[in-house]
Amino acid sequence: MAAEVDQWSAAAVQADGVLQPEEVENDDGVYDDEELNEGEVNGNWTPQEKALHEARLKAKAKRRLRKSSSRDSARESLSEAVAGEAGADPNSPKGKALQNHDRKSRTGKGRGLPKKGGAGGKGVWGAAGMVYEMEEPDAKDPNYDESAQGDTVYATVVPELEEGELEKTVNPIVQEYFEHGDTREVEMLLKELNLGPHKYEFSSLAVSLSLEGKASHRELTSRLLSDLVGKVLPESDIARAFDKMLKDLPDLILDTPEAPQMLGQFIARAIADHALPMNFLSRYKGRVDCDHARAALDRASVLMSMKREMVRLDNVWGVGGGQRPVKHLIKEMNLLLKEYLVSGELLEAEHCLRDLEVPHFHHELVYEAVIMVLESNGETAIQLMVKLLQAFWKSGLITLDQMNRVRQIKLFKGGFVTF
């Protein structure tokens, strides 16, 4: 039995009468093809050897089939992937994924060159021998350094005022100016604002507010327009403002019935102060349909014809207000008292004193009244002055403190009078 096994293990393999080159075991552990063919020719195969040989052939066939099927499936999957990439929708998630992750060739083809010509990769600053040109620094770069760029100029950008916010901003400036009367402060405030195309409306708002105020406010407004022209407001903007006010006169009359006459005085004063062009009135000749605008232009024309030479119409708004010199105020109070002694009208005297708008200077009226009584002859002047001062004290125009300043004055007869 042992001899048969040795003979079977040393024999060659034959299947169906066809020589099959196959490695089988020999004394060294492997049989070659020559030994296999020699055993087949001699006819020394036993049934066991033959069955073993057939099993080996079947196993070999299975191995070959398995290898061929795996190769065919790999080729088919590769062709399907290439076809899918070519026909996939680029907007679909699968197409986007293929585009994003397609970093190498799927077909096994390529020149084998480095990516980006050797200029890419981690820690690489470009291809070898590449020279970069100087680039202008980008201010939006996170590493941008202002101090390294030389002298830096900073500019303040002021947003333009909207039309609705213009009146809310300008009115407090004008009202405060009526209190302090400093045109330079108004000029400084206007330079800090960005009025844009609505700059001309500052003049119209200032004039409108002064029409509703006192004579001193109108005087201050005329002086303000004269000081601002050429510095903050051009002459064309002031002319445009008065054009707008001439059109708005029907509405201004509702609050200020004397608006046409006052606006005419404003125009005459502005022309005399060179805030308006000389041909401003001539542009409206024969072109005005509104009766109120015609009345304002006629008033301005009359005032201009009264002055042959172009001088400042300083007294167009009368003399009054604390901005006026003391000598002018004393002169006006003397005229007031003399007219009162002649007419005896208390209401007219009170109206004139209020128009002066100097309540802090009313003690001067008491002093001038006493001096006038001392220089007069007769009791009539004394009685009229006492009546006048009593009326002013009752109405609140003269305070007790202002009376006490000139309470005792020696009369020409050597006596004293107490008010």
Side-chain angles (χ1 to χ4, degrees), residues 99-115:
Q99 293 178 2
N100 295 337
H101 299 288
D102 189 12
R103 297 186 178 180
K104 61 182 179 179
S105 176
R106 303 295 181 181
T107 61
K109 299 180 181 180
R111 296 179 297 171
L113 299 178
K115 189 176 182 180

Side-chain angles (χ1 to χ4, degrees), residues 191-202:
K191 288 181 178 180
E192 295 177 357
L193 299 177
N194 185 7
L195 301 179
H198 308 290
K199 186 182 295 185
Y200 74 96
E201 294 189 11
F202 172 80

Side-chain angles (χ1 to χ4, degrees), residues 144-210:
Y144 179 76
D145 187 6
E146 295 181 356
S147 60
Q149 308 306 324
D151 296 336
T152 303
V153 179
Y154 295 92
T156 303
V157 179
V158 181
E160 181 180 328
L161 284 179
E162 298 181 358
E163 188 175 0
E165 298 178 356
L166 181 64
E167 185 174 355
K168 297 180 181 179
T169 306
V170 170
N171 282 356
I173 296 176
V174 177
Q175 294 291 353
E176 186 177 356
Y177 167 70
F178 288 159
E179 298 296 331
H180 58 71
D182 189 359
T183 59
R184 290 178 296 180
E185 183 174 349
V186 178
E187 178 182 351
M188 180 184 64
L189 293 175
L190 290 181
K191 288 181 178 180
E192 295 177 357
L193 299 177
N194 185 7
L195 301 179
H198 308 290
K199 186 182 295 185
Y200 74 96
E201 294 189 11
F202 172 80
S203 303
S204 60
L205 288 174
V207 173
S208 299
L209 290 175
S210 64

